Amino acid sequence: MLRYYCQRLFMNPFSIFKFVPLSVLQMLARFVARAILNRPSLSVVRTIRINLKLVHPEMADDEIDKLTRQIVFNQCLSSVESVKCWAMPSEWSLKQIREIHNQELLTAAFDNPNGMLAIVPHLGTWEMMNAWLNQFGAPTIMYKPVQGQISNDFVLRGRQRLNATLVPTDATGVKAVFKTLKQGGFSIILPDHVPDPSGGVIVPFYGVNTLTSTLTPKLAAKTKCSLVGLACVRRQDGEGFDIHCYDLNDESLYDRNVEVATTALNRAIEHIINDNFTHYIWGYRRFKRLPDLGNPYKSSSSDLEAYRQQLKMSATASSDPDMEQS
């Protein structure tokens, strides 16, 4: 038996996470988070701060500092929790789920003969939710290999334990998802990746005009599938995770005008994020393709601040009809 485990560990060192308790991994994640926060020049801290300045241009620096701290801690915790999910059997993940909020929305969506599309932003520990969601069938999910052969083998093995059919993130994968929906099945999409320019349009996200993927609106318009937002968030007491279901019933989500539909999708994603704002992966460079600025993560401080002031003025004007008319 010992020889077997040694062989497994030699083949993929990530297998050690199967034997480390989640509480220990979370403790290590908090230690790493503190180390990261002690080095504010690190890329992830700078990215979070820039994102917060863009989505909340009116926010004071001390509030940005406070949110940045919470976000770094949550992002580190979500990372180790995801690794633990990949290392463990699906039954382990199921045992971590404590409460399902508004599950009736998901149940009703599965009754749609045109299929169901689960919209899952990069929020919380979405990997923890996969085992639970796979109880309802065998979804088709697009999978992009992670960097490094050993890392990719580990993640791929973890996801292949489920009922899901993994397809590539290209035209072949899109066709497979479309076919699944047309047959009344379901798929899961993380809608807030930055796409290639050919796969997106420029629409507002938190008031920032940025390149946004059009895959979800196009699938919705063509198939008339049900759309349900999902998020898996660590409980405040630290004892397990809750799953939140959101009814995405805005008719604009199915609009044939892709800009109208994608704008509606971003509004829906904002609503999901706002419920658990500091659990969103704000360390992701979501705004790296802005038509009015370029890449804010490479911009000078003066250019970034000038753009931030423009966003602040636009937000004020949109909330004040008299100012907008003038």
Side-chain angles (χ1 to χ4, degrees):
M1 183 65 69
L2 178 60
R3 181 180 179 182
Y4 167 77
Y5 286 121
C6 288
Q7 288 176 339
R8 288 287 303 274
L9 185 58
F10 178 77
M11 292 174 59
N12 195 313
F14 286 105
S15 299
I16 195 173
F17 288 103
K18 184 175 183 178
F19 310 104
V20 181
L22 179 60
S23 59
V24 174
L25 293 175
Q26 290 172 328
M27 180 181 65
L28 292 174
R30 293 185 179 95
F31 175 82
V32 171
R34 292 188 184 94
I36 290 173
L37 289 167
N38 285 331
R39 298 184 62 188
S41 61
L42 287 177
S43 176
V44 63
V45 178
R46 185 171 182 271
T47 296
I48 291 170
R49 290 183 58 83
I50 289 174
N51 284 340
L52 291 177
K53 289 181 178 181
L54 293 175
V55 302
H56 287 304
E58 78 295 344
M59 188 172 285
D61 286 345
D62 58 344
E63 184 64 19
I64 288 178
D65 291 340
K66 178 182 176 181
L67 288 179
T68 298
R69 180 177 178 82
Q70 296 173 7
I71 290 165
V72 168
F73 270 88
N74 284 328
Q75 190 161 325
C76 288
L77 286 166
S78 293
S79 296
V80 298
E81 290 158 359
S82 294
V83 171
K84 184 66 174 176
C85 287
W86 294 322
M88 300 299 288
S90 57
E91 292 78 12
W92 179 88
S93 295
L94 288 173
K95 291 179 180 178
Q96 311 308 311
I97 306 300
R98 298 292 183 264
E99 189 174 353
I100 313 298
H101 300 269
N102 302 317
Q103 185 174 346
E104 69 277 4
L105 299 176
L106 185 65
T107 302
F110 278 121
D111 292 334
N112 188 344
N114 297 321
M116 189 278 288
L117 198 57
I119 308 302
V120 183
H122 288 79
L123 186 149
T125 309
W126 60 90
E127 295 289 348
M128 190 72 71
M129 182 172 57
N130 283 345
W132 176 82
L133 194 55
N134 274 254
Q135 295 178 109
F136 299 97
T140 298
I141 305 175
M142 288 189 287
Y143 174 75
K144 182 178 181 179
V146 300
Q147 292 185 345
Q149 186 65 45
I150 295 177
S151 300
N152 184 64
D153 288 347
F154 175 69
V155 175
L156 193 58
R157 188 183 303 118
R159 291 183 174 176
Q160 286 176 334
R161 294 193 188 102
L162 305 175
N163 296 323
T165 299
L166 303 180
V167 296
T169 55
D170 55 21
T172 303
V174 173
K175 289 180 180 178
V177 171
F178 178 77
K179 181 179 179 181
T180 296
L181 295 175
K182 292 294 286 184
Q183 292 175 343
F186 76 101
S187 182
I188 306 167
I189 286 186
L190 278 69
D192 44 353
H193 284 293
V194 178
D196 292 329
S198 61
V201 292
I202 303 294
V203 293
F205 180 59
Y206 277 98
V208 183
N209 289 325
T210 189
L211 186 65
T212 303
S213 172
T214 58
L215 176 58
T216 299
K218 287 180 177 179
L219 287 171
K222 290 181 179 180
T223 66
K224 302 303 178 183
C225 63
S226 296
L227 299 175
V228 177
L230 293 174
C232 182
V233 181
R234 186 183 318 102
R235 292 169 65 94
Q236 290 187 357
D237 59 10
E239 298 296 326
F241 301 80
D242 286 353
I243 293 176
H244 303 262
C245 305
Y246 296 85
D247 188 10
L248 306 188
N249 56 7
D250 186 348
E251 291 184 1
S252 297
L253 291 164
Y254 297 88
D255 200 294
R256 289 287 181 177
N257 184 319
V258 71
E259 291 188 7
V260 171
T262 309
T263 299
L265 177 63
N266 275 353
R267 284 198 303 267
I269 296 172
E270 289 174 28
H271 174 67
I272 296 173
I273 293 172
N274 288 339
D275 274 359
N276 293 281
F277 186 82
T278 60
H279 288 262
Y280 188 65
I281 308 299
W282 289 109
Y284 178 59
R285 297 190 170 190
R286 177 66 181 84
F287 301 106
K288 64 182 180 181
R289 287 175 175 162
L290 303 182
D292 301 327
L293 181 63
N295 188 337
Y297 311 107
K298 295 183 179 180
S299 299
S300 65
S301 299
S302 57
D303 287 345
L304 184 61
E305 183 58 29
Y307 184 70
R308 183 188 181 191
Q309 292 304 316
Q310 292 179 17
L311 293 173
K312 186 176 181 180
M313 291 177 61
S314 297
T316 302
S318 62
S319 61
D320 188 340
D322 293 334
M323 182 178 293
E324 189 173 7
Q325 289 176 4
S326 63

